[in-house]
Amino acid sequence: MVELNWHDYLVMVSFVASIAGLVLLGDNRNSPPTDDHTLSEEILIKMSFTYWIVYCISVFGLKLHLPEESWLLLSLKLTTVLSYLLTASSILSLPLQRMAVRRVED
């Protein structure tokens, strides 16, 4: 049996919240975005939710009891790090993109 701590419960809640966020963002198929800036913002938000879902799955994959020298364990660790960094870069690029749009409009 795998013992879960507070971080694991937090990851589970954020996993469900990310799926809910993607579902809510996917519901506006009837109204296309008004311009390219809105479309790029939506894509960045969807990317951050998707990368976070991959992170959550890989964190729970690391909870499996795999041999220490397993290629699967190594790939899960690499996936965890890369998806965390991609999530952070997607979240950080959203305000940067908004600042770039404001400068172009001025």
Side-chain angles (χ1 to χ4, degrees), residues 54-66 70-83:
V54 171
Y55 171 78
C56 294
I57 291 171
S58 62
V59 163
F60 287 118
L62 287 173
K63 292 288 182 182
L64 300 174
H65 296 290
L66 299 171
S70 172
W71 63 270
L72 184 60
L73 182 65
L74 218 59
S75 65
L76 279 173
K77 286 180 181 179
L78 184 63
T79 303
T80 303
V81 170
L82 288 176
S83 61

Side-chain angles (χ1 to χ4, degrees), residues 2 29 32 39 47 49 60 66 78-79 83 85 98 100-101:
V2 177
R29 292 181 189 165
L39 179 64
M47 284 172 40
F49 282 144
F60 287 118
L66 299 171
L78 184 63
T79 303
S83 61
L85 292 174
R98 286 184 181 173
V101 167

Side-chain angles (χ1 to χ4, degrees), residues 31-36 38-39:
S31 61
T34 56
D35 57 356
D36 289 338
T38 308
L39 179 64

